[in-house]
Amino acid sequence: MTPSLANEQLIQIAEQFGTPVYVYHAEKIKQQYEKLKNGFAVLDTRIFYACKALTNINILRYIKGIGCNIDCSSINEVKMALHAGFEPNNILYTSNGIAFSEIEEAVAAGVHINIDSLSNLEKFGKKYGHSYPVGVRLRPNILAGGNIKISTGHDKSKFGIPVEQIAELEKIVQQHNIFIRALHIHTGSEIKDADVFVKGIEVLFDLIPHFPELEVIDLGGGFKVPYRPEEKETDIALLGQKLKDAFDAHPLADHKKLQVWFEPGKFLVSECGYLVTQVNVLKENGKVDIAGVNTGLNHLIRPMMYDAYHHISNLSNPGGKEKEYMITGYICETDTFATDRLLNEIKEGDYLVFHNAGAYGFEMSSNYNSRYKPAEVLVKDGTAHLIRKREEFDDLLKTQLKVL
Ligand code: PLP
């Protein structure tokens, strides 16, 4: 059974802690982690949670508690992971476009590192030579998923070292005797098709002869979760089997010698999250009924940034007659969450919930229009815990210096 939070519990939380509020359901994270662990059991696998999706320290601690490792995309995320109690050996830092000084800090912290440019690799080689095993992020030139805005492995993407530059890469590695432990790719997000991952691993298998000390193939994250009711998530067990078959079929690859690492973000924390809001205003604009809610692109930017769909339901009137609505935010920009959306009839003050809001929701929030960031609540074993206070006016001034 899929763990989910009941309408009544979400309303109770909204009444207790106010709105807008992000609510996370711990047991759902655990269920997703177990699907990964079981589905990939056919291979020697390590799962690193891509914490850029949601970094609340309590979520990190919960994820550590269920036995998962952590993937970081900045040195501050590395510091958050250490603060949450992860051991350096369970932390991966997959950098992109960063100053070399961040890599130096990551080495000092003793975490695993993936480097994504020839220039940083060269600096790394000069400074550390063979002494610190490292991974390289490659760009495999694969267009993954349907949405170019969240596809990162294609031939115009900024991410990774293009595979066609393998000769230059090898030259740097040999010149400085760099210990290349891992080859990494991350081709994008919301990839349902297992064959995209198979294609990716085959690109890496072909490179095995170039890296005699290779121990790890890192396939990144990007597993799909169902945002629309009719969508399906990536079938992890099928993917595990297909990857094992790819190992068996390839003359250079041995799954007993190579560990496979994954960096899922959305798959672990997207569905556990709910953004509960309240309707501020109802408007009739010609033929369109608009419900304006007390949140906006400052709290959930995915619909505006990626044209992402979030399912919305009316917690206050679940059995009511269905009507078409446009759902908009309160920000002084066009922050439309949904158009032509069928929802149970809405009154001002009703609680609406955005589903599947755990990943890249709060994490991408801002103070635009001098609005506060929302509160966060974690439900674990049926109990709701406040894990981040709603901001207050002083928070808006906290880092400002009054010089005039
Ligand atoms: N790994 C890397 C390198 C990424 O850039 C990302 C997302 O941006 C992820 C993992 C997580 O992706 P997802 O949340 O789609 O699983």
Side-chain angles (χ1 to χ4, degrees):
M1 203 192 102
T2 306
S4 59
L5 296 180
N7 280 12
E8 298 70 38
Q9 188 161 20
L10 290 171
I11 290 177
Q12 207 178 1
I13 290 169
E15 282 173 355
Q16 186 177 351
F17 300 105
T19 61
V21 59
Y22 272 99
V23 184
Y24 311 116
H25 188 194
E27 285 75 21
K28 180 64 189 168
I29 300 176
K30 188 162 176 218
Q31 185 198 45
Q32 293 300 98
Y33 178 62
E34 275 165 8
K35 279 186 212 164
L36 294 169
K37 238 178 40 178
N38 298 335
F40 292 133
V42 288
L43 295 166
D44 182 8
T45 317
R46 285 185 82 184
I47 310 290
F48 294 79
Y49 162 55
C51 72
K52 74 196 79 181
L54 177 59
T55 54
N56 186 293
I57 205 81
N58 298 278
I59 299 290
L60 303 190
R61 288 174 68 79
Y62 181 78
I63 281 182
K64 175 180 170 286
I66 58 177
C68 189
N69 309 292
I70 189 162
D71 171 54
C72 303
S73 61
S74 72
I75 197 66
N76 287 343
E77 284 185 2
V78 170
K79 289 177 189 168
M80 293 284 267
L82 291 166
H83 183 72
F86 285 88
E87 294 296 329
N89 183 41
N90 299 332
I91 301 174
L92 172 61
Y93 174 35
T94 301
S95 63
N96 114 74
I98 52 141
F100 183 64
S101 56
E102 277 205 21
I103 294 181
E104 292 174 303
E105 281 191 72
V107 170
V111 303
H112 302 287
I113 302 169
N114 287 322
I115 294 181
D116 103 319
S117 70
L118 290 179
S119 99
N120 271 337
L121 187 66
E122 181 144 40
K123 290 175 194 153
F124 185 89
K126 276 190 192 145
K127 179 146 187 186
Y128 303 106
H130 193 264
S131 68
Y132 200 96
V134 75
V136 279
R137 178 172 183 171
L138 299 169
R139 194 191 72 191
N141 301 338
I142 294 170
L143 182 61
N147 187 343
I148 189 84
K149 289 185 182 166
I150 53 173
S151 183
T152 54
H154 58 83
D155 65 0
K156 295 195 174 53
S157 164
K158 70 164 186 170
F159 296 99
I161 300 165
V163 278
E164 58 274 23
Q165 290 175 10
I166 192 73
E168 288 104 302
L169 197 164
E170 211 172 1
K171 199 165 141 215
I172 293 170
V173 169
Q174 282 169 4
Q175 200 176 359
H176 302 287
N177 189 21
I178 304 173
F179 183 166
I180 300 292
R181 181 179 23 216
L183 294 182
H184 171 281
I185 53 170
H186 168 80
T187 56
S189 205
E190 296 180 38
I191 308 166
K192 180 162 165 276
D193 183 2
D195 292 335
V196 171
F197 292 94
V198 173
K199 234 195 262 175
I201 208 168
E202 284 170 350
V203 169
L204 299 184
F205 286 162
D206 291 343
L207 300 176
I208 288 174
H210 299 268
F211 304 101
E213 295 179 288
L214 197 66
E215 296 169 0
V216 171
I217 295 277
D218 181 344
L219 292 180
F223 308 131
K224 176 153 185 60
V225 290
Y227 280 95
R228 292 172 190 268
E230 70 277 12
E231 285 179 346
K232 295 262 177 296
E233 69 183 15
T234 310
D235 182 337
I236 300 296
L238 174 73
L239 173 57
Q241 191 52 51
K242 283 198 170 199
L243 292 175
K244 164 87 169 30
D245 294 345
F247 265 102
D248 292 342
H250 201 282
L252 301 172
D254 181 349
H255 67 86
K256 295 194 191 76
K257 292 200 185 125
L258 285 177
Q259 209 168 49
V260 185
W261 290 5
F262 294 102
E263 304 159 3
K266 273 182 194 157
F267 195 82
L268 284 169
V269 298
S270 189
E271 287 169 282
C272 83
Y274 304 76
L275 173 59
V276 184
T277 69
Q278 254 176 307
V279 177
N280 279 342
V281 284
L282 283 176
K283 282 186 183 174
E284 272 181 41
N285 266 18
K287 289 195 183 111
V288 190
D289 279 310
I290 300 177
V293 290
N294 65 349
T295 184
L297 61 75
N298 53 328
H299 297 156
L300 182 63
I301 200 172
R302 298 186 71 255
M304 302 86 197
M305 193 162 161
Y306 304 129
D307 305 320
Y309 176 99
H310 280 272
H311 195 62
I312 306 170
S313 44
N314 185 351
L315 295 172
S316 305
N317 186 21
K321 193 170 111 230
E322 285 191 333
K323 273 181 74 173
E324 252 181 32
Y325 290 95
M326 177 166 156
I327 309 295
T328 57
Y330 62 2
I331 286 295
C332 202
E333 300 277 343
T334 302
D335 56 349
T336 305
F337 289 107
T339 48
D340 308 331
R341 192 68 72 85
L342 267 187
L343 275 154
N344 300 116
E345 193 162 7
I346 297 174
K347 296 181 302 310
E348 289 185 357
D350 278 358
Y351 291 115
L352 300 193
V353 60
F354 292 81
H355 295 265
N356 225 339
Y360 311 104
F362 182 92
E363 209 56 33
M364 287 188 172
S365 64
S366 75
N367 289 117
Y368 188 45
N369 281 186
S370 293
R371 296 283 180 189
Y372 306 140
K373 290 193 184 183
E376 291 179 293
V377 167
L378 176 65
V379 179
K380 183 171 171 292
D381 302 324
T383 305
H385 306 269
L386 183 66
I387 57 170
R388 188 190 299 263
K389 289 189 295 185
R390 183 180 315 289
E391 284 183 333
E392 294 174 350
F393 190 70
D394 281 352
D395 293 310
L396 300 179
L397 294 171
K398 203 167 48 188
T399 52
Q400 299 193 43
L401 303 173
K402 204 168 177 187
V403 296
L404 295 179

